[in-house]
Amino acid sequence: MSTITREKAWELLTEYNKDAFHLKHAQIVEGVMRYFARQLGYSEEEDFWGIVGLLHDLDFEQYPEEHCIKQQEIMKERGIDPRIIRATASHGYALTVDIKPEHQMEKVLYAVDELTGLIGAVALMRPSKSVSDLEVKSVKKKYKTSNFAAGCSREVIERGAELLGWELDYLIQQTILAMRECEVVD
């Protein structure tokens, strides 16, 4: 369905991103997007959703001030499917771009990008250092502490849940389950 394979998407990502944290985040969001594709009835588009998740922060490491803007240029130059370009850019809605998430996949990406970071930070504080035994109540407790994982915007997470028409607890629960399925090991 996409005009770029997972292998080529990874090559492109690693051309612009070298930091292990950013690469791991990309892989986590890729896995979470694949999970939601299956859960929401888009199994035939699972690879597409995964590639969108993998490439969503393509420009963040090198161009943080032009995040979701510069990646559009980069992808256009590479002849990447315009749907991937739009979808990856839409997660910067109301932050750096005016591309509102419209498709279910875009709404999921918007909602889970920040949330995976918050959940990951909570998991690292656990003795297991894993999402395998993480529960919603633990995430919610840290969620309410504004200085915990302060870089993870609660406003964006809440706006994402609203775009999806989901309760916050449901979004957190489903994202935990998705992260359990795709836990990336260092």
Side-chain angles (χ1 to χ4, degrees):
M1 174 171 252
S2 65
T3 58
I4 187 169
T5 64
R6 199 277 180 195
E7 181 182 358
K8 291 291 184 189
W10 180 255
E11 286 175 14
L12 178 59
L13 179 69
T14 57
E15 182 180 331
Y16 287 89
N17 292 267
K18 306 299 181 200
D19 185 274
F21 176 83
H22 292 145
L23 295 174
K24 183 176 180 178
H25 173 68
Q27 290 174 296
I28 290 168
V29 175
E30 172 191 19
V32 168
M33 292 299 292
R34 294 176 72 83
Y35 170 89
F36 276 106
R38 291 189 307 276
Q39 293 299 312
L40 297 173
Y42 295 92
S43 295
E44 71 284 353
E45 296 179 15
E46 184 179 337
D47 292 338
F48 180 77
W49 284 45
I51 287 170
V52 167
L54 189 66
L55 293 177
H56 81 284
D57 278 346
L58 176 66
D59 61 2
F60 187 77
E61 190 172 310
Q62 289 189 16
Y63 307 99
E65 300 302 317
E66 297 177 86
H67 183 41
C68 296
I69 298 167
K70 190 69 174 171
Q71 68 191 39
Q72 293 178 67
E73 292 173 29
I74 294 166
M75 289 190 218
K76 282 178 188 168
E77 289 170 2
R78 304 293 174 105
I80 293 177
D81 186 330
R83 295 173 306 152
I84 294 173
I85 298 170
R86 181 197 151 64
T88 58
S90 73
H91 89 280
Y93 175 65
L95 302 169
T96 58
V97 297
D98 292 328
I99 302 168
K100 185 175 182 178
E102 293 175 357
H103 185 279
Q104 187 81 345
M105 179 257 304
E106 295 170 345
K107 294 174 184 178
V108 169
L109 176 63
Y110 186 85
V112 303
D113 178 34
E114 298 286 317
L115 184 55
T116 57
L118 181 75
I119 290 170
V122 175
L124 287 175
M125 297 198 63
R126 302 183 65 73
S128 67
K129 305 244 185 273
S130 169
V131 294
S132 63
D133 58 351
L134 185 61
E135 298 297 331
V136 172
K137 66 181 179 178
S138 298
V139 175
K140 287 290 288 276
K141 184 176 179 181
K142 292 296 187 183
Y143 185 92
K144 293 174 184 173
T145 307
S146 61
N147 63 349
F148 177 81
C152 298
S153 171
R154 277 67 164 168
E155 182 182 331
V156 169
I157 295 167
E158 290 166 13
R159 195 179 309 140
E162 187 178 306
L163 282 170
L164 287 163
W166 296 352
E167 293 294 325
L168 182 60
D169 285 9
Y170 179 77
L171 174 62
I172 293 169
Q173 179 65 47
Q174 289 302 304
T175 305
I176 290 170
L177 293 174
M179 289 176 72
R180 283 180 186 164
E181 220 175 79
C182 68
E183 200 157 13
V184 178
V185 180
D186 291 325

